[in-house]
């Protein structure tokens, strides 16, 4: 398990706050974080929130063969899982030191304390007994996993109901919940773990340490106790030795905390039992709002259209006039495509436009020449020499008519009667 180390500044800040009897979340020295207990739809499912630490416990049972040395007793089995979903420091499928320590502490807390009557789990001596399995899953790690796991496990065991069984000859019949009501487990007491953290060689003490406080602590003490002030198990881990006075002081604090947590578990069980009898929603899964999102289903809501026109007119009047952009400023480059109302697309139209411009220019030139010719014909200043391809049309002033006649006479001798007719007209 690899944890991200704290910086020296953060470590010094935490230790300085503990010396001043202050904590990060504003709690006092002996205060627990907010504890919330919820049960699932099925029997034996419990969800516990201790601050930001979240744990889920699920209890299941099956008929198995008993152990050879205990043929008349059932079997209790505990399985704890630290998934990477709870913390990035946890590795999937690998037993870390923390996982082994928590699993052993759970077994000592419940199995060795004889909190459950294992003899009541026997169906046929030496042949069939009930095996009760408790699976504890860590959903989020924010410190004090042992306390949250013990609360979730004992609450799930109290909430669990095993099927009723019957024996007919050599055959064992397991009845369904519809045929016979399930039977709860026989629980003598509820052991609950309380964790204490020591700092600076045992000088300072905190109850229910969070994840950052666990990183800077020197030692850890876990005491499992029931409401009758009976110590079920005790375990210390760390590099310091604790005095007898310190252990006695922690046991007195634990007795108060255990009685409060036991009352909270009992109240949660009663509320769940009342809700199931009333036929209402029970369990954290059923209490969550189920909002199904579908692609084809739409919830239609009625819309009043009485004042729609008046509101639209008011919105139009109050709205600001958008600035008008002049199209003359928008000069598209050759080959540029534009999208929008009133904009021209120049992509792939360069050659066509060049041809059109050349044709328009030639047409304009011809029109200008024709206009000049018509005006000069009207004034009598234009002399048309010939309509052949070799001759050109020359516009002459009245002063230069003599020179033009000499040229036309020479050309008329070559071209024939057309030129003579023109000379006679002139």
């Amino acid at each position: 398990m690899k944890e991200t180390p704290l910086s020296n500044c953060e470590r010094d800040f935490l230790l300085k706050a503990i010396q001043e009897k202050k904590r990060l979340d504003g709690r006092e020295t002996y205060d627990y974080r907010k504890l919330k207990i919820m049960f699932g739809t099925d029997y034996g499912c419990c969800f516990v929130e201790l601050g930001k630490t979240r744990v889920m416990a699920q209890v299941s049972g099956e008929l198995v063969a008993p152990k050879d040395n205990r043929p008349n007793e059932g079997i209790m089995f505990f399985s704890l899982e630290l998934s990477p979903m709870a913390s990035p420091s946890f590795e999937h499928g690998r037993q870390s030191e923390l996982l082994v320590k928590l699993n052993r502490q759970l077994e000592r807390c419940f199995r060795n304390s004889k909190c459950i009557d294992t003899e009541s789990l026997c169906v046929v001596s030496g042949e069939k007994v009930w095996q009760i399995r408790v699976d504890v899953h860590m959903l989020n790690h924010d410190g004090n996993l042992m306390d949250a796991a013990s609360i979730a496990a004992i609450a799930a065991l109290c909430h669990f109901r095993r099927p009723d069984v019957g024996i007919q000859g050599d055959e064992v019949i397991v009845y369904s919940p519809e045929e016979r009501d399930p039977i709860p487990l026989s629980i003598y007491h509820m052991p609950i773990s309380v964790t204490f953290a020591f700092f600076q060689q045992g000088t300072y003490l905190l109850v229910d340490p969070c994840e950052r406080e666990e990183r800077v602590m020197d030692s850890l003490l876990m005491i499992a106790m029931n409401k009758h002030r009976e110590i079920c198990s005790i375990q210390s881990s760390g590099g310091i030795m604790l005095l007898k006075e310190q252990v006695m002081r922690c046991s007195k604090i634990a007795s108060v905390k255990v009685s409060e947590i036991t009352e909270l578990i009992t109240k949660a069980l009663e509320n769940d039992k009342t809700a199931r009898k009333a036929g209402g929603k029970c369990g954290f899964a059923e209490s969550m709002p189920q909002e199904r999102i579908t692609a084809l289903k739409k919830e239609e809501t009625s819309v009043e259209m009485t004042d729609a026109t008046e509101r639209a007119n008011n919105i139009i009047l109050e709205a600001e006039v958008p600035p008008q952009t002049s199209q003359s400023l928008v000069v598209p480059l050759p080959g540029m495509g534009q999208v929008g109302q009133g904009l021209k697309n120049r992509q792939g139209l360069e050659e066509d436009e060049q041809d059109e411009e050349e044709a328009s220019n030639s047409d304009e030139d011809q029109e200008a020449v024709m206009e000049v010719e018509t005006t000069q014909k009207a004034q009598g200043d234009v002399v048309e020499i010939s309509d052949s391809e070799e001759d050109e049309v020359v516009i002459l002033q009245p002063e230069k008519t003599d020179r033009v006649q000499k040229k036309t006479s020479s050309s008329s001798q070559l071209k024939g009667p057309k030129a003579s007719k023109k000379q006679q007209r002139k």
Side-chain angles (χ1 to χ4, degrees), residues 55-103:
V55 180
M56 186 182 70
Q58 177 67 54
V59 181
S60 59
E62 61 176 345
L63 290 174
V64 297
K67 295 182 179 180
D68 297 335
N69 55 351
R70 298 179 183 274
N72 299 327
E73 295 182 3
I75 301 173
M76 291 289 298
F77 181 76
F78 293 89
S79 175
L80 195 140
E81 179 185 1
L82 300 178
S83 64
M85 179 179 62
S87 176
S89 59
F90 298 152
E91 298 181 5
H92 181 70
R94 181 178 179 182
Q95 287 190 353
S96 59
E97 183 180 355
L98 178 61
L99 177 62
V100 175
K101 182 177 66 175
L102 292 175
N103 208 346

Side-chain angles (χ1 to χ4, degrees), residues 334-345:
M336 179 185 295
Q338 296 184 355
V339 178
Q341 185 176 4
L343 299 178
K344 296 181 179 180
N345 188 1

Side-chain angles (χ1 to χ4, degrees), residues 12-23:
D12 296 340
F13 174 78
L14 289 171
L15 294 175
K16 186 67 175 178
I18 292 170
Q19 291 178 7
E20 297 177 0
K21 297 182 179 180
K22 296 179 181 178
R23 307 180 73 169

Side-chain angles (χ1 to χ4, degrees), residues 261-274:
I261 295 172
T262 304
E263 292 179 0
L264 183 62
I265 295 174
T266 305
K267 186 177 180 180
L269 290 169
E270 292 177 355
N271 293 337
D272 181 78
K273 185 178 180 180
T274 304

Side-chain angles (χ1 to χ4, degrees), residues 69-201:
N69 55 351
R70 298 179 183 274
N72 299 327
E73 295 182 3
I75 301 173
M76 291 289 298
F77 181 76
F78 293 89
S79 175
L80 195 140
E81 179 185 1
L82 300 178
S83 64
M85 179 179 62
S87 176
S89 59
F90 298 152
E91 298 181 5
H92 181 70
R94 181 178 179 182
Q95 287 190 353
S96 59
E97 183 180 355
L98 178 61
L99 177 62
V100 175
K101 182 177 66 175
L102 292 175
N103 208 346
R104 290 178 180 176
Q105 182 66 11
L106 274 178
E107 291 181 354
R108 293 194 193 101
C109 182
F110 293 99
R111 185 188 297 169
N112 298 341
S113 64
K114 303 294 183 180
C115 65
I116 297 177
D117 185 11
T118 55
E119 293 183 357
S120 62
L121 301 176
C122 178
V123 179
V124 178
S125 179
E127 295 183 5
K128 294 290 183 181
V129 295
W130 282 103
Q131 179 184 3
I132 305 300
R133 179 187 176 94
V134 183
D135 294 311
V136 181
H137 303 275
M138 301 296 174
L139 303 180
N140 190 29
H141 173 40
D142 192 30
N144 200 7
L145 293 177
M146 184 61 207
D147 291 7
S150 65
I151 295 171
I154 192 62
L157 287 171
C158 294
H159 189 256
F160 178 67
R161 302 288 188 273
R162 65 173 180 85
D164 194 5
V165 296
I167 301 173
Q168 294 181 357
D170 296 337
E171 184 181 2
V172 178
I173 301 175
V174 180
Y175 295 101
S176 62
E178 290 78 11
E179 296 176 347
R180 292 187 182 181
D181 293 336
I183 300 173
L185 300 178
S186 180
I187 299 176
Y188 295 138
H189 57 87
M190 290 189 291
I192 297 171
S193 176
V194 180
T195 302
F196 301 89
F198 294 92
F199 302 87
Q200 295 186 358
Q201 301 298 320

